[in-house]
Structure formats: structure tokens, C-alpha cells
Amino acid sequence: MSETSEPQPQTRGLLSGWPLVAVLMLFYFLSFVDRALISLMVEPIQRDLHFTDVEMGLLLGPAFGIFYAAAGIPLGRLMDRYSKRWLCMAVVAFWGLSTAVSGLASNFLIFFLSRLGLGAGEAGLSPAAYSLIAEQVPRRRLATAYSFYTVGAFAGGGLAIIGGGWLVHKLASEGTIILPLLGHVYPWQLTFLLVGALTVLVAPLALLLRENRRPASNGISTNGEPEPAPGLWALIRTDPLFYLGYPFAFGSVNVIVTAFHVWTPTFMSRTYGWPIETVGIAYGATQGGAGVVGLLAMGWLVERLYNRGMVDAHAKVPAIALCISIPAMIGGILSGSPAAFLAASIAFWGATYTYAGYAPAALQLGTPASLRASVGAVYVTFLSVMGLFIGPTMVSWFTEGVLQDKSKIGLSLVFVMVIWTPIALASLLVIAKRLRARHARDML
């Protein structure tokens, strides 16, 4: 079928292309601010609500992580069947409301339920974003578009980390505040209320996003090509190595990344004796700065290599990045030098973590339009489950159960890298071979 004779999908919404990516990036930014907010105010929350360390641990981890992992695929399926922009608005407003409820919580149960809602709401954003961006951005620019979207995570996380020390200090010096209708609230409660309200207020921006209006299922996708098989699981069975192996490969990388993301501030504090405000500035600047620059640079590189014929660039480039950044990070940890560690961190965040931007592009390029959100949700679920439940747990287990010395947490981080880097490299090389095979098949 010629390009001029292909049926063009009907669209709805105003913003397409890069304005659409910018709005989705704003949502992603707010999602990371909302999820990180609690970690900055552990002490005042425990002081005012009398929560134990165990209760705070449940709020910081499982309350968010379990529902974030569990809700992704169901929400992805809904977004493939119904309007993504309306559902996107709903999940953004829902997690904003959940954040505000945290500010009204007076006991553990309400706080726990609000964190469940936060995880369930945020689980729907990336599947919707991956699908909407793939619809409205040219294939040759997809890696850069996803990288730009992911800048929101680095910016939100970096802002939260850098401001964390100051915020904790500021809140500790304040008394209660009187609000209309609510009466006396603590400063940390006011922070949750304000951030949650801001998220709810910006949620209607999702209705400006352009999406393709698909007709009732007739076996033809929006670009005029035959659908390979109806349903998500039928599609996965057509090529499980691609649709499941690809998320597993990057989930393996995410085990290392999440272990560092969670434990690096503790490592810096225990190893170098730095106060929290110094750790926040050093860690936030290296992760946020190197991450944003690396995201855009690596996304551009992968996109350029792919458009020049390296069809496995989305898997080969992160494999090369691992081979460079992991030895540097091991050397930085073992050196005992803060300067060497921070330099290695710049290489790590700027080269390795940047897969979060460009990696989804290859998966979306190989997925029919009617299942993009669902496949994106499978990818996010793999990354969430492997990252949240393996990496941080391995570090704590090795530190307390094997080394039995909290000051040696750096060796635990090295342990995670030694175990998971070969798994990640082997998986990426297998996926690179599969990408080449799929490209050769499609060219026949």
C-alpha cells in the first residue's frame, strides 16, 4: 500500500510532537517529587504521628512499590482500549489526591492507603506516555523523545535530593500552622497538601494531548498494517524473547541502578562522614546533572546510530556503557576518595542510568499501535519488580547478614555489581541479536 493511499487515523487533542512530550515530562517530574516527598520528612512524621521504623519502612517501600508494579499492566490494557488522554488525566489527578491525603493522615492506616493510591496512580503514566509519544513523534526521533520525557524523572529526583537537607532542617524549626477548615496542621502536612493540590491542578493538561482515535477492531492497525494477533498475551507468544526478554535485560540493569539510587546517600554518609545536607548537594548534583546531560546525549547517540543502520543500537549501546561505567564505579568505591567516587558517579549516572530514556523506543517500534500501552506496562513492571525488590534487598542482606558491618556498605554495592553486571551484559547481547533478527525478517 502506498503512503498516499494509507488510511490516516483520526486524532483528537491539540498538542502533538514535542509540546506533547513536554507536558508528559512535567507529569513525570511531579510523579518523582510526589513519591520522594516522604523520604525527606521521615523524622518529623515519626515525631508527630509516633510511627515506628517498621511502619516507616512499609510506607517508604512496599506501600508504594507493590501497587506500582501490580497496577501497571491493567492500566496499560485500559489505555489501549479507551482514551489515553482522559485516563492519563485520571491517574495524574488520582496520585495528586493521594499525596494530599498523606497530608491529612492522622494514623498509619490512612497514610498506608494514600501510598497505595500514589503507587497505583503513577503506574499508569509511563505506559500512556510511551504510547502517546510513539503515535505523535516520528520513528527516527523516538529515542530522543523518550529521553526528553525521562528528564522529568532526573529533574524531579535531583530537586528532591538537593532540597531534602534544607527542607528537613526548615520543617524541624516550624510549629503548627492554622488552615481554614482544617485547623492546626504540621508543616510537613502542609507540604503534602500543596504538592498534591498542584498535581491535581495540572492534571487537566492531559486533555490537550493529541491521540489517535482508532476505529473498532477490524484487523488493521492505525498505520494500515495487519495486526499480528489480538490481545497482549497472544502478541507476547509470537516473540517472547523480544517482548519479555527485552524488559528482563533492562530490568537486570535496573537492579544495579536501583541499588545505587537507594543506598548511595547512606554509603556517602557512613563512609565519608558527611552530614545529610552535604550528601544531598553532592549526590543530587551528580545524579541530576550527569543524568540530564547523559539522557539527552545518549538518546541522540542511540537515535543517530539506529538511523544509520545499527538496528541493535538500543541494546548494544547500554552494554558498552556498562563495560565503561561499572569498572569506574567499583574503582571509585574501593578508592576511599570522595572525589574519585563522585567522578565515577558522574560516569555511572551519565552513561548507564540513561537507558531509562531511550530503551523503551525499540520496544515501541516493534509493537502494533493497539498494544503499545500494554507492552509499555509489561516493560515498566519488569523494571519495577526487579529494581525495587532485588537490588536494595541484596545490599542490606550482604551488609548485615554476610559482612555484619554497616560501615562496609560499599562492598555490598560492589557485590551487587559483580553478580548482576554479567547477567545484564549477557541479556543485552542476546537482545541485540534478536533485534538484528527481527530487522532482517521485516526487511524480507
Side-chain angles (χ1 to χ4, degrees), residues 67 88 149 166 180 219 274 302 352:
F67 267 62
C88 186
Y149 161 69
W166 174 86
W274 290 357
V302 169
T352 296

Side-chain angles (χ1 to χ4, degrees), residues 270-301:
R270 292 179 184 176
T271 304
Y272 307 131
W274 290 357
I276 186 173
E277 58 268 23
T278 303
V279 170
I281 293 173
Y283 179 45
T286 53
Q287 186 204 48
V292 170
V293 173
L295 268 173
L296 300 178
M298 294 290 281
W300 173 85
L301 175 63

Side-chain angles (χ1 to χ4, degrees), residues 27 30-31 34-35 37 88-104 114 117-122 191-203:
F27 291 155
L30 289 172
S31 76
D34 285 12
R35 78 175 66 172
L37 207 56
C88 186
M89 182 188 72
V91 298
V92 173
F94 185 73
W95 94 57
L97 182 62
S98 298
T99 301
V101 169
S102 297
L104 299 174
S114 73
L118 179 67
E122 290 193 13
T191 304
F192 277 113
L193 289 169
L194 291 176
V195 173
L198 175 63
T199 303
V200 172
L201 288 175
V202 302

Side-chain angles (χ1 to χ4, degrees), residues 313-350:
H314 297 82
K316 186 175 291 183
V317 168
I320 296 172
L322 277 176
C323 293
I324 296 172
S325 67
I326 295 301
M329 183 59 85
I330 292 176
I333 290 174
L334 299 180
S335 70
S337 167
F341 175 75
L342 291 176
S345 297
I346 291 173
F348 181 78
W349 297 119

Side-chain angles (χ1 to χ4, degrees), residues 13 203 242 251 324 411:
F242 177 65
I324 296 172
L411 294 179

